[in-house]
Amino acid sequence: MHARRIDSLALDNYQRAARVILANHLVTRTYPDRIALPLIRRWATELREDLAALFGYRLEVTEATARVFPVIDRLDAGKPARTVADRVFDRRRYAYLALALAALGRAGDQITLSELADQVAAYTGRVDGLELAPDRAADRDAFVDAIGWLAARGALTLADGDAGGWAADPEAGEALYDIDRPVVFALFRPPRALQHLHSVEGLLTEDAMAHPAGPAHISDSARRVRRTLVERPVVYAEDLADDERPLLVQDRVVADVELFTGLRAERRAEGVALIDTSGRLSDIRFPGTGTLAQVALLLVGEIADRVLDIDNPVPRRPAAPDPAAALAAQLDDVIPAATVFAPLADLPSTDFGAGEPDSVREASAEAPEEVTYPFIESAWVRETVQALTDRYGLTFAAQWQANVPGLTTEVVALLERLRLLRAVSDGLVILPALARYRGAVVTVRTKRTAELFVTASDTIGADSVGTEGM
């Protein structure tokens, strides 16, 4: 492992490079910033070898891009594409994004937004249930969101005009983009063509045939554990296969990830979490700023108090099944069987990686002893968020002050992404890592009304809520 041989003065720089490439998977001249690619290129050889040895990942570095090809062990709905305004992509935006990439792959060095929209509209005519009608504002907005995603990563650079003007009125507005072809080609490199799949699990880049017994098998299991550590906010022992659980408590496996990333592992009886104080690996900072993060931390404190109330014990339930299984079933249901190319559909993937798919391992393993967790009813959650809004609502963003149900939904979704709880049909199953944030301290800063002048350091306008996790 190269990180063990790097001088201590340079190790921090190397760890920053490791965090950047793990967090982004694609790095370009401008994404996520202008210093990221030179940093990756400086350490390209060491990163390439360490990523392969520790995680089974493949790294390709060129003058214009750095691209990690990860080994995906399980489906995960917790990392969606997001618009420039941080809204989650829906199915239409994903479709426009994929079709725009196809069109850009055949384009020259420049393209106008209207030309690209016309090509994508032509492609949608070949897909049942999909359409891009430039005369519909909703379609234009979705298309511009997809183009914005590409522009943020450097695949497109605005040369003239304004995409917002085209979205408002395609007859009056226009935008001209330069196309960065290396970025376009690096963006979408699926392990197998969709026409070769009977199931979405075929996109998982593990080879079910390459799972030998003995030391090689142990090495593959250790890579899966390391991958899980850097891909999930919290790794619970019960999430892992039988051959992986003992490795989670081994100092060497976790220490390798700590040394490579520069993060600190926090161990508990139930599992391990990597604590990212740098903010360069996590896609969500928690605790954080903004209404959703602050209300989430307030709700966590209320939940912890409820669970720890020995005079009114809450019921317990087993954790709900991993939502990845339901996600796979939903995706498989919409695969058009008529388009599957049968001769190639059953061939194993030849991409870099090893190990059995989760479904195979889980089916062959003995069922572990059932573990239960505290359960909180939906009604209590709604009432609690309403009470928090009544108390602190003036400090919330305006869009949430009058939309408590929407606020509740978004806050629960945030905590579920952080793996602090799991939402079920009638409430929340509380997972152990939530206890890390119990005892949150709330401070309310109020503008002093007697002041004639307010300095920049004072609160201006409505009161604000500050929260601090303990």
Side-chain angles (χ1 to χ4, degrees):
M1 182 176 174
H2 285 280
R4 300 186 187 282
R5 302 194 295 271
I6 294 174
D7 183 87
S8 59
L9 296 177
L11 181 59
D12 181 66
N13 188 265
Y14 178 69
Q15 290 169 335
R16 283 203 303 271
R19 292 194 296 269
V20 168
I21 197 63
L22 284 173
N24 297 284
H25 287 190
L26 174 70
V27 173
T28 68
R29 294 185 180 97
T30 59
Y31 182 82
D33 52 50
R34 294 187 178 276
I35 65 173
L37 185 60
L39 179 64
I40 300 300
R41 285 173 55 83
R42 174 186 175 185
W43 297 103
T45 299
E46 294 84 354
L47 287 172
R48 185 180 296 111
E49 295 180 10
D50 279 352
L51 285 166
L54 294 177
F55 308 103
Y57 291 174
R58 178 163 53 92
L59 174 65
E60 290 184 1
V61 179
T62 69
E63 291 185 3
T65 65
R67 178 77 160 91
V68 159
F69 295 87
V71 177
I72 306 300
D73 298 305
R74 55 183 63 83
L75 297 177
D76 184 2
K79 300 177 182 179
R82 293 178 176 272
T83 70
V84 176
D86 204 36
R87 294 189 301 272
V88 174
F89 267 39
D90 56 15
R91 294 173 64 183
R92 176 166 50 177
R93 284 166 172 80
Y94 278 120
Y96 291 167
L97 175 60
L99 296 176
L101 278 170
L104 291 172
R106 297 175 174 86
D109 294 329
Q110 286 188 323
I111 194 168
T112 65
L113 190 58
S114 59
E115 289 173 339
L116 185 54
D118 288 342
Q119 292 186 35
V120 171
Y123 291 158
T124 62
R126 307 175 192 176
V127 182
D128 292 340
L130 181 64
E131 183 181 11
L132 170 55
D135 59 341
R136 276 205 300 262
D139 285 9
R140 295 197 303 271
D141 288 343
F143 180 68
V144 168
D145 282 342
I147 299 307
W149 190 94
L150 292 169
R153 283 151 183 79
L156 295 171
T157 302
L158 186 65
D160 193 14
D162 177 24
W166 180 88
D169 183 357
E171 297 297 329
E174 184 59 281
L176 176 66
Y177 288 96
D178 294 325
I179 301 172
D180 191 325
R181 303 190 69 77
V183 177
V184 171
F185 293 143
L187 262 172
F188 187 62
R189 300 268 295 275
R192 298 178 66 187
L194 297 182
Q195 290 85 349
H196 303 169
L197 301 179
H198 282 310
S199 169
V200 70
E201 289 191 344
L203 287 175
L204 301 181
T205 51
E206 291 216 357
D207 184 355
M209 303 300 293
H211 194 63
H217 168 57
I218 295 174
S219 178
D220 291 339
S221 298
R223 289 192 185 99
R224 288 196 296 271
V225 172
R226 295 189 199 103
R227 291 196 291 263
T228 307
L229 282 169
V230 297
E231 290 166 0
R232 291 193 169 193
V234 182
V235 180
Y236 296 110
E238 68 164 16
D239 294 339
L240 303 177
D242 289 346
D243 60 334
E244 297 168 359
R245 291 190 192 105
L247 298 173
L248 187 63
V249 299
Q250 286 187 7
D251 290 338
R252 177 62 180 269
V253 171
V254 178
D256 284 344
V257 179
E258 287 182 303
L259 180 61
F260 182 67
T261 62
L263 305 185
R264 177 177 59 85
E266 188 170 289
R267 299 169 182 263
R268 294 290 185 270
E270 299 85 359
V272 177
L274 289 180
I275 307 304
D276 179 18
T277 57
S278 71
R280 294 304 298 268
L281 181 59
S282 304
D283 57 342
I284 306 174
R285 297 216 59 163
F286 188 77
T289 59
T291 297
L292 293 181
Q294 291 180 340
V295 175
L297 190 57
L298 292 170
L299 180 60
V300 162
E302 297 292 333
I303 291 174
D305 289 345
R306 172 82 186 275
V307 170
L308 295 174
D309 186 356
I310 59 176
D311 294 327
N312 297 286
V314 299
R316 298 182 69 88
R317 283 191 186 181
D322 191 333
L327 175 63
Q330 292 173 357
L331 293 172
D332 288 349
D333 285 344
V334 299
I335 292 178
T339 66
V340 174
F341 186 57
L344 294 178
D346 297 319
L347 293 180
S349 169
T350 57
D351 276 69
F352 193 73
E356 294 178 20
D358 284 346
S359 58
V360 176
R361 293 199 305 269
E362 291 170 1
S364 61
E366 295 182 5
E369 182 179 350
E370 185 175 65
V371 179
T372 61
Y373 300 101
F375 171 76
I376 301 293
E377 306 85 353
S378 296
W380 183 90
V381 177
R382 291 192 298 268
E383 292 168 0
T384 301
V385 176
Q386 181 64 65
L388 293 172
T389 303
D390 293 342
R391 185 173 182 181
Y392 303 111
L394 290 178
T395 71
F396 295 173
Q399 70 184 98
W400 301 121
Q401 292 181 17
N403 184 15
V404 177
L407 175 62
T408 304
T409 299
E410 291 298 323
V411 165
V412 168
L414 172 61
L415 295 175
E416 190 167 26
R417 285 186 66 192
L418 292 167
R419 309 201 77 224
L420 302 182
L421 52 81
R422 185 166 291 173
V424 293
S425 59
D426 56 345
L428 305 177
V429 176
I430 310 305
L431 300 180
L434 181 139
R436 184 176 189 271
Y437 301 98
R438 66 185 181 273
V441 176
V442 181
T443 60
V444 180
R445 298 189 301 273
T446 306
K447 186 180 72 173
R448 294 184 293 277
T449 57
E451 291 182 344
L452 289 176
F453 301 99
V454 180
T455 64
S457 61
D458 292 320
T459 303
I460 300 177
D463 299 344
S464 60
V465 176
T467 53
E468 179 182 353
M470 296 182 63

